[in-house]
């Protein structure tokens, strides 16, 4: 490399052709592959996690929170649908922020997204281990073996090639949706919304109590309870924004990316409504049966509890195996996401450049995937063995989950700001798709994301995760300030930003075999 160039406090090196030759990607994805990538990344949140919001504001409070979060994501998704075909690079959020706010903006956005994408699958694989231990009767102390096995299997699937990765994403996403559809159809004849979804009241001490006959208030803790449920409602849509990371592996990102994003978002909105209404509207009085929203609010496996209520505990292991499908769909697709996200930042020199090397024949960013998986697994194992089995499980389910949400909210705010600034600074660039929500939609994304982050800080169970993510963030910023900003490389994202979108960029992608 030669031809160093200093611009605005950062130093670039111009890479020769051999640098990008070692960093090729292969085009394969079309609309339905992108749809499956987005829906698959989120779908585990429809199996579990969202329901804890009921414990903050009752069913109605969670429902209001879900509406607000859906508005946030609609503003984000329509913004991404405009930005991703206009800047069709693997960098995604980092790429948009880099063009809008310069290298520092690109780095702080990319780092926030790295926290989200590395920590989210770490939480998901913890739940996979719990389910598999229950299904096969292995001791809970052996859970780390399930985590290691899952990382090996699904990193290998992503390593093998983009064709296999996307085919598996489509298959497992359709299977997960199929499980949800079976539940919806099964639950409809038994649903009694007033009796079971509204069986929560507020006791003299201010805590929730069960109302045996239902008929409680829609908002037992008022609008404050609804706002407190915002961080939990995020799990109904978290990670659909990963789609732009597949831009250089999409045959026609300018047409297919907006379609994949929008189809995926409306699929998830429909599924979220069905899950929230029907899962909370069933219950029973027999032992082992779920007692509507009141018991759902503390359930670690709400969909499985719903199946048990409908079909009995006798087939619990088979039902648990069905539930694992949703976790697998998200785990697999987010491994894809952190591989591409780390790849793009390292190809541009923000992270160590060797992390962006791709496989010579398969053209998959295997080094980035190994690194992201290694960090997530290392964090899991460290917490498990230092805190102990019981406390470690609580920390993983709370602290790491909240780290992921913290990173996501920061990333969404920066992406909304990037959209606004790109509209102002680069009105001339080709925009194959324009957001119908425009700047107001991006503003809504920023406001709701910051509000969600505020309510994370109000919940003691979230604070540790936020502080841990903040420590990671500060360490990354220190690295960039003292080292990283002097080692940037003119990748496609950087070239586009440097030229302010005025000249075409040759994307280093390999055509499909």
């Amino acid at each position: 490399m030669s031809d160093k160039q200093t611009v605005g406090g950062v130093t670039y090196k111009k890479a020769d052709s051999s640098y990008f030759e070692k960093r090729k990607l292969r085009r394969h994805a079309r609309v339905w592959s992108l749809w499956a990538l987005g829906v698959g990344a989120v779908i585990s949140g429809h199996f579990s996690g969202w329901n804890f919001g009921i414990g903050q504001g009752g069913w109605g409070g969670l429902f209001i929170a879900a509406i607000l979060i859906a508005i946030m994501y609609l503003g984000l998704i329509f913004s991404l649908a405009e930005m991703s075909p206009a800047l069709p690079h693997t960098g995604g959020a980092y790429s948009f922020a880099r063009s809008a706010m310069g290298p520092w903006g690109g780095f702080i956005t990319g780092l926030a997204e790295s926290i989200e994408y590395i920590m989210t699958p770490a939480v998901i694989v913890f739940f996979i281990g719990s389910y598999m231990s229950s299904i096969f009767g292995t001791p809970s102390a052996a859970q780390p073996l399930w985590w290691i096995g899952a990382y090996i299997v699904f990193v290998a699937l992503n390593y093998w090639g983009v064709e296999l990765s996307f085919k598996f994403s489509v298959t497992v996403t359709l299977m997960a949706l199929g499980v949800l559809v079976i539940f919806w159809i099964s639950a409809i004849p038994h649903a009694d919304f007033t009796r079971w979804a509204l069986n929560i009241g507020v006791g003299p001490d201010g805590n929730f109590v069960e109302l045996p006959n239902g008929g409680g208030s829609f908002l037992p803790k008022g609008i404050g309870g609804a706002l407190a449920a915002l961080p939990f409602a995020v799990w109904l849509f978290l990670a659909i924004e990963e789609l732009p990371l597949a831009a250089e592996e999409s045959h026609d990102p300018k047409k297919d990316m907006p379609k994949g994003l929008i189809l995926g978002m409306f699929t998830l909105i429909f599924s979220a409504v069905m899950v929230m209404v029907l899962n909370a509207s069933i219950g029973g009085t027999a032992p082992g049966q779920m007692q509507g929203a009141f018991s759902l609010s503390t359930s670690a496996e709400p969909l499985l509890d719903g199946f048990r209520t409908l079909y009995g505990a006798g087939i619990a292991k088979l039902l648990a195996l069905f539930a694992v499908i949703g976790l697998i769909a998200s785990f697999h697709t987010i491994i894809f996401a952190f591989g591409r996200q780390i790849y793009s930042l390292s190809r541009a020199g923000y992270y160590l450049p060797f992390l962006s090397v791709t496989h010579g024949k398969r053209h998959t960013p295997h080094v980035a995937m190994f690194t992201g998986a290694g960090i997530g697994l290392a964090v899991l194992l460290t917490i498990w063995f230092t805190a102990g089995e019981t406390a470690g499980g609580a920390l993983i389910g709370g602290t790491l989950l909240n780290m992921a949400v913290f990173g996501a909210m920061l990333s969404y705010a920066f992406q909304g700001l990037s959209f606004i600034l790109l509209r102002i600074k680069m009105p001339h660039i080709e925009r194959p798709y324009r957001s119908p929500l425009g700047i107001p939609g991006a503003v809504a994304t920023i406001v709701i994301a910051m509000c969600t982050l505020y309510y994370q800080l109000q919940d003691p169970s979230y604070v540790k995760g936020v502080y841990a993510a903040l420590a990671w963030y500060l360490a990354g910023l220190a690295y960039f300030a003292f080292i990283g900003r002097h080692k940037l490389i003119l990748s496609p994202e950087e070239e586009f930003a440097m030229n302010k979108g005025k000249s075409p960029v040759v994307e280093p992608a390999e055509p499909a075999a």
Side-chain angles (χ1 to χ4, degrees), residues 362-406:
R362 307 186 191 285
H363 302 304
T364 50
H366 60 296
V367 180
M369 287 190 291
F370 296 159
T371 302
I375 294 171
L377 184 58
V379 172
L380 276 174
L381 294 174
T382 299
I383 293 174
W384 183 263
F385 288 112
T386 56
E389 183 179 324
T390 302
L395 281 171
I396 291 167
T399 302
L400 298 192
L401 182 150
N402 300 323
M403 289 178 70
V405 174
F406 172 85

Side-chain angles (χ1 to χ4, degrees), residues 89 153 163 165 182 197 213 235 318 347 472 489 491 498-499:
H89 312 124
V153 169
E163 296 91 346
S165 180
I182 291 170
N213 298 315
W235 283 94
L318 178 60
R347 182 176 66 176
W472 182 336
I489 296 162
S491 68
M498 294 276 285
N499 296 327

Side-chain angles (χ1 to χ4, degrees), residues 78 158 185 397 489:
F78 279 114
N158 277 281
I185 293 172
I489 296 162

Side-chain angles (χ1 to χ4, degrees), residues 75-376:
L76 176 65
I77 290 307
F78 279 114
S79 296
L80 294 178
E82 177 172 315
M83 293 189 292
S84 55
L87 291 79
H89 312 124
T90 294
Y94 134 69
S95 173
F96 310 145
R98 167 63 186 92
S99 293
M101 298 183 284
W104 274 100
F107 180 76
I108 60 177
T109 304
L111 183 59
E113 204 171 46
S114 291
I115 295 172
E116 174 192 357
Y117 289 151
I118 292 174
M119 289 298 100
T120 299
V123 176
I124 293 171
V125 81
F126 169 74
F127 290 121
I128 289 175
S130 298
Y131 271 93
M132 299 302 279
S133 295
S134 174
I135 293 168
F136 293 99
T138 57
S140 58
Q143 274 204 58
L145 297 178
W146 287 112
W147 308 339
I148 294 168
Y151 267 115
I152 290 173
V153 169
F154 292 103
V155 169
L157 279 172
N158 277 281
Y159 162 81
W160 196 259
V162 67
E163 296 91 346
L164 178 61
S165 180
F166 275 115
K167 287 176 182 177
F168 185 82
S169 294
V170 172
T171 301
V172 76
T173 298
L174 289 174
M175 290 175 66
L177 284 172
V179 171
L180 290 173
V181 170
I182 291 170
F183 175 77
W184 302 337
I185 293 172
S186 302
I188 287 172
H190 303 275
D192 186 341
F193 181 81
T194 303
R195 168 71 177 83
W196 296 113
L198 301 181
N199 71 339
I200 294 178
V202 179
D205 59 356
N207 294 321
F208 281 143
V209 295
E210 182 180 4
L211 302 178
N213 298 315
S217 170
F218 184 76
L219 290 172
K221 288 198 174 181
I223 194 64
L227 294 175
L230 286 172
F232 299 96
V234 167
W235 283 94
L236 294 165
F237 306 104
L238 182 71
I240 187 177
E241 74 281 359
E242 74 176 42
L243 262 67
L245 293 168
E248 289 180 30
E249 291 162 287
S250 170
H251 275 293
D252 190 353
K254 294 189 176 183
K255 291 183 179 179
D256 292 346
M257 193 63 68
K259 292 178 182 177
L261 282 161
I262 295 167
L263 282 171
M265 185 62 200
F266 282 98
T267 300
L268 292 167
I269 288 175
F270 177 80
S271 177
V273 172
M274 295 295 285
V275 165
M276 282 192 295
V277 172
L278 293 173
N279 211 164
S281 295
I282 57 175
T285 56
Q289 289 187 324
M290 183 177 65
Q291 285 83 50
F294 183 79
S295 62
L296 195 69
S297 67
T298 56
S299 172
E301 42 197 33
L303 194 78
L304 182 55
D305 283 345
F307 270 126
R308 288 183 182 129
T309 299
L310 294 169
Y311 292 106
I315 57 172
K317 288 189 176 182
L318 178 60
L319 297 176
L321 194 58
F322 286 156
V324 170
I325 294 172
L327 299 175
I328 287 174
S330 294
F331 186 64
H332 171 73
T333 51
I334 302 179
I335 286 174
F336 174 95
F338 71 59
R340 273 61 183 178
Q341 206 263 345
I342 294 171
Y343 160 86
S344 62
L345 283 161
S346 58
R347 182 176 66 176
Y350 290 87
Y351 295 165
L352 298 174
F354 82 89
L355 297 175
S356 59
V357 172
T358 55
H359 190 276
K361 292 183 179 179
R362 307 186 191 285
H363 302 304
T364 50
H366 60 296
V367 180
M369 287 190 291
F370 296 159
T371 302
I375 294 171

